[in-house]
Amino acid sequence: MWIRDSLRTVFETLEAENDDDVPILVKIGPDSPEESMLDLVDIVEECDLDGIVATNTTTSREGLESPRGEEWGGLSGNPLRERSTSAIRTLARHTDDDLPIVGVGGVDSARSAYEKIRAGASLVQLYTGFVYGGPRTAKRINQGLVELLERDEFSSVEDAVGADLE
Ligand SMILES: Cc1cc2nc3c(=O)[nH]c(=O)nc-3n(C[C@H](O)[C@H](O)[C@H](O)COP(=O)(O)O)c2cc1C
């Protein structure tokens, strides 16, 4: 309970100081229990914040076969992809439709960006994908997304947001 109260205090303080109405989004880790994620959504909505970024890196090494799997620290990129998409789905099922979710974790292609969108993300962010794909990655993703949207007969990205939740 004290965590909820502490978070509420932090968010309310930020909002009170936010004279310029800068959008405030809360970033969530993928390893929290579902109940904690949903608690966080409730507080974000109660405090009128502007969205959720899902997710940060994972400490899990489940299914990872890399010889470097034992290294300490947060894991990003493809091994995080499904875990992050699953968190987005959980959050999207629970949020009001108008609370934006930024989907991040293992996006490196149109297919992986589309997966996040269909899970409920209305924006997509990538970090590790750029390291491997280089600066043309965004263009490649955008072009591929157009094809996937056309294939599934969506007229815009917005129409595809949360399509897998139905
Ligand atoms: C080297 C590195 C540094 C990062 N630093 C931050 C940070 O300072 N703040 C933050 O919110 N997330 C940070 N992240 C997490 C990323 O923003 C992102 O949520 C995560 O890597 C999953 O996305 P990706 O698979 O596209 O990399 C960092 C990730 C990496 C790999």
Side-chain angles (χ1 to χ4, degrees), residues 100-121:
I101 298 174
V102 181
V104 51
V107 174
D108 60 0
S109 62
R111 192 185 52 79
S112 48
Y114 193 47
E115 174 187 286
K116 297 283 191 261
I117 292 164
R118 293 188 61 116

Side-chain angles (χ1 to χ4, degrees), residues 8 10 53 62 88 116 136:
R8 198 173 280 110
V10 170
V53 184
E62 204 182 309
I88 292 166
K116 297 283 191 261
R136 285 183 55 84

